[in-house]
Amino acid sequence: FAGGGYVHRLLQNAEDGKIVEGTDPRLMEEEQILNQLQGEGSASEPPLSALERSTIPTYSSSAEDDEATHRKLEGFAGQYYTLLKSQLEQQRIFYQGRLEAIRREHENTTRNERQSTSDL
């Protein structure tokens, strides 16, 4: 899960096969930016412009951002609930129809069997 918390990245060491923890790419990117701002970045790395956006989600601790995120999640939850409710209602109608058709078929079969046995 990226964007909501730290993700442990476990890798297998090629030398001895042991499991080791990989580095967090957010920390690597922050370090890269700091190095470039300080002029210590490698010449092979292209400099990041101030307008480029990071592909790694940022973490904000402001109350306004938290409230906006909460409202957004509440909206998604409401949409999910509405969709789930409509899908379950459609399934209920479909299976009630199937059940009714099976009952009618069973009644017809039972009625036909009774007629055939009474004819004997």
Side-chain angles (χ1 to χ4, degrees):
F1 179 73
Y6 182 75
V7 178
H8 293 280
R9 289 164 180 83
L10 300 178
L11 307 169
Q12 187 172 13
N13 189 349
E15 294 175 11
D16 57 6
K18 292 182 180 179
I19 302 294
V20 295
E21 185 175 350
T23 57
D24 186 0
R26 288 177 290 147
L27 297 175
M28 290 175 53
E29 182 177 298
E30 289 172 7
E31 185 178 317
Q32 222 176 25
I33 292 170
L34 287 174
N35 287 340
Q36 288 176 356
L37 291 175
Q38 294 172 353
E40 298 174 3
S42 70
S44 64
E45 295 175 317
L48 293 175
S49 73
L51 299 177
E52 281 185 315
R53 294 185 65 169
S54 170
T55 57
I56 300 170
T58 58
Y59 299 96
S60 173
S61 62
S62 77
E64 291 175 357
D65 288 344
D66 290 345
E67 186 178 327
T69 301
H70 180 71
R71 282 195 308 267
K72 191 175 187 180
L73 290 174
E74 287 289 324
F76 287 144
Q79 289 176 355
Y80 174 78
Y81 174 74
T82 303
L83 178 64
L84 180 63
K85 183 178 173 183
S86 69
Q87 292 294 316
L88 289 173
E89 181 68 18
Q90 289 176 1
Q91 285 183 3
R92 183 185 63 79
I93 292 169
F94 173 78
Y95 284 110
Q96 281 180 341
R98 291 277 298 155
L99 185 59
E100 187 60 34
I102 291 170
R103 283 182 183 149
R104 281 194 305 264
E105 184 180 324
H106 178 68
E107 287 174 4
N108 290 339
T109 305
T110 305
R111 192 176 305 130
N112 289 341
E113 286 176 359
R114 286 183 191 155
Q115 282 182 345
S116 65
T117 56
S118 67
D119 290 341
L120 293 175

